[in-house]
Every structure is written in structure tokens, then in C-alpha cells.
Amino acid sequence: MDPTSLQRLVFLTSLLSCSTNQARLTVTPSSSQVFEDERVSLRCEDASDGWTVRRNTSYENRAQCGVDWGRSAGSSCTISSMDPRDSGEYWCESPEGSTSNTITITVSGGSVILQSPALPVMEGDNVTLTCRTKMADNLSADFYKDGVSIRNESDGHMTLLNVSRSDEGLYKCRVQNEGESPESRLSVSEKPPVTTTNTPTSSSSSTTMDPSTTTSAPPASSLHLVFRVICHLVVFCPYCISTFLMVSIYRERARGSDHAEQGLDDDYDDVMSAVTTEHQF
Ligand SMILES: *[C@@H]1O[C@H](CO)[C@@H](O)[C@H](O)[C@H]1NC(C)=O
């Protein structure tokens, strides 16, 4: 009895920690700036039913997707044609008022944007910022941090190697004869201690590949996958144990009884009550 109840306690605790899994907001394209008329999708991940995407803009507060703006489908939300007035802070919120991370999106009515990660990047990552114009990519661009010109890149891509907290700030870019982008904040978050098994080379090389998805998504998502698998196992195990208990108790009773066939109904009731009391603990 004791080992079983201990096991169940462990299972229950794990279940509870699974259900408090934090919801996350992601955005496609994964950029903090977009051009006017571009399509943007927002998604609440790891969110249960009832979570909605909300936003603060210059003219509304806690405005809900599907009601005040955008088109909602489940825990996703789409704006088919962005307007500069859609610039603002976006987040997911549960009916109880729990909130996810916040993503700042700036919509440019001009001809230049800076594509920078919408989500915070991890310390040690390589981060590529891309200066884009409506008409052409890969044009020579000047990059600014906190209003100060820091670099000129002939192809419009600026890669920050091995970022640290000191790389945080407001970034913008300028293309000769085209104009300059709005400013966006780059946030660098501390590396979580659990990522010691990750080879830094593979994670940083994969983050530099695609400038539009520059965050440390690969290690985070594989870690996440492992977590989900454990969660599902933990949910599945109590059912297996209950079934095993039921069968073993029934067998014991059936063996102990002389009139197995006559006592079948009673035994079944006994087993059921035994199982239900087990569950009440
Ligand atoms: C949205 O606006 C409300 C009211 O001004 C404010 O309390 C809240 O912190 C804002 N949320 C975000 C994520 O900016």
C-alpha cells in the first residue's frame, strides 16, 4: 500500500506541474517589424481552451482578437493586412487573467523595416538583424543601436556573435535613398542552466541560418518535446496501474473463492469499491 500511495503522490505532483505549463505567444513571420499590408499570425502555444490573444495599441487596451480586431481560430489569431495602427503589444490571456509573454510588433508605413527577433534571444546566440526594403533585399544598410551608428553592412544583414546583455537596446537601420526603419528592442535573456548538454556550435550555427527565425528555437523545442513526452507518460501511467491493480485483485479474490462463478458479481463489486477507494485516498 505504502509504495503505491507514494507513487501516486509523485504522479499527482507531476500532473499538477504539467498543467501549470506556461502559455507562450509566437508570431509568424517571426519579426518585430512588418510592412503595412503584410499578413501576421499569432499563436498561443501550450494554452488550454479559452485563451485569447489580446493587445494594447495607441488607441485600445486589452482589445481581444476576434472581437475588437483580427480573425480568431482556436488559440490562433490572424491579421490579413497589417496597418500602422496595429502596432503595439500582443499577448495571450486566459479567462482567469493569466498572461503569456508579450511581443511588440511595429508596422511600418514606410519603405524600410528592420527584421529582428520578436522573442527574446538567449545569451550566447548569434543573432542576425536584416534591413529590408519593400522593393529589394540585400541592399547596403547602416545599423544603429540606441541612436548611434554602429556598423555598415553591404548586404543588409548584421550578425551579432555570441550576444550578451550588453547587446540589448533599440536597433534601427537605414538604406541610402530609401529611408530608415522604425526602432525595435532586442532583448537578451539569460541562458537557463539546464542546457549544458546542448552543443553551443550547433545551436548557434542553426540560429544564423535564417534571419527571420533567429531565436534559439531548436534547443527550446526539443527540450519542450521531451517535456511533453514525459507529461503524456505521467498521465498514462495511473491508468495502467489502476488496470493492473484491478486485474490482480480480481485474480486474488477469484482464486480464494471456492465458488468462483457464483461469487463473480460480488467480487466485481468488491474490486470496483477497492479501486474507487484507492482513488479517493
Ligand atoms: C496594456 O494596457 C493596460 C492599461 O494601460 C496596462 O495595465 C497593461 O500593463 C498593458 N499591457 C501590456 C502588455 O503592455
Side-chain angles (χ1 to χ4, degrees):
M1 193 61 193
D2 264 8
T4 324
S5 47
L6 195 75
Q7 263 177 324
R8 297 212 162 171
L9 202 70
V10 170
F11 284 143
L12 201 80
T13 321
S14 327
L15 263 175
L16 278 174
S17 64
C18 279
S19 63
T20 54
N21 202 355
Q22 179 72 47
R24 290 176 304 128
L25 175 67
T26 59
V27 61
T28 312
S30 177
S31 169
S32 55
Q33 291 184 14
V34 295
F35 284 119
E36 199 171 17
D37 300 334
E38 270 189 285
R39 177 194 187 83
V40 166
S41 294
L42 300 136
R43 234 177 101 80
C44 298
E45 297 191 349
D46 301 324
S48 42
D49 287 348
W51 282 72
T52 51
V53 182
R54 288 182 182 269
R55 74 178 189 185
N56 282 358
T57 61
S58 55
Y59 66 98
E60 55 192 1
N61 276 328
R62 285 189 71 244
Q64 188 181 335
C65 172
V67 178
D68 306 302
W69 56 275
R71 210 174 59 247
S72 87
S75 54
S76 297
C77 186
T78 306
I79 302 175
S80 49
S81 178
M82 292 292 270
D83 184 274
R85 297 197 326 150
D86 292 316
S87 300
E89 271 86 50
Y90 291 75
W91 70 93
C92 299
E93 191 169 318
S94 75
E96 295 79 35
S98 308
T99 55
S100 69
N101 59 309
T102 300
I103 291 179
T104 304
I105 299 176
T106 306
V107 185
S108 168
S111 55
V112 180
I113 58 168
L114 176 73
Q115 277 192 329
S116 65
L119 295 167
V121 297
M122 287 289 169
E123 252 177 355
D125 279 353
N126 297 340
V127 177
T128 300
L129 307 182
T130 302
C131 199
R132 276 184 58 204
T133 67
K134 256 184 178 163
M135 297 306 157
D137 283 340
N138 307 323
L139 294 177
S140 171
D142 293 311
F143 288 86
Y144 296 81
K145 183 192 178 209
D146 299 321
V148 179
S149 173
I150 52 168
R151 242 193 263 179
N152 174 273
E153 295 285 353
S154 57
D155 64 353
H157 299 277
M158 176 176 72
T159 300
L160 303 168
L161 296 172
N162 191 15
V163 294
S164 65
R165 281 294 172 88
S166 64
D167 291 307
E168 285 189 329
L170 284 172
Y171 287 84
K172 68 177 179 185
C173 67
R174 157 187 276 282
V175 175
Q176 201 74 48
N177 303 325
E178 287 281 348
E180 65 179 35
S181 72
E183 282 187 315
S184 278
R185 178 165 297 281
L186 181 74
S187 301
V188 180
S189 51
E190 237 171 83
K191 209 160 192 102
V194 286
T195 53
T196 42
T197 49
N198 284 332
T199 49
T201 42
S202 74
S203 80
S204 35
S205 64
S206 58
T207 52
T208 47
M209 295 299 282
D210 184 358
S212 59
T213 56
T214 333
T215 52
S216 60
S221 63
S222 67
L223 219 120
H224 186 69
L225 187 74
V226 169
F227 187 71
R228 297 298 291 205
V229 167
I230 291 171
C231 260
H232 285 117
L233 282 178
V234 160
V235 173
F236 191 63
C237 277
Y239 291 103
C240 294
I241 286 178
S242 307
T243 313
F244 176 75
L245 264 175
M246 221 161 103
V247 169
S248 59
I249 292 171
Y250 176 74
R251 275 193 173 168
E252 218 167 83
R253 295 283 175 92
R255 218 184 301 125
S257 165
D258 286 338
H259 312 286
E261 226 177 279
Q262 183 225 327
L264 212 146
D265 282 345
D266 292 344
D267 282 343
Y268 182 72
D269 286 346
D270 286 353
V271 169
M272 285 316 281
S273 64
V275 169
T276 24
T277 45
E278 283 276 338
H279 273 294
Q280 279 163 357
F281 59 117

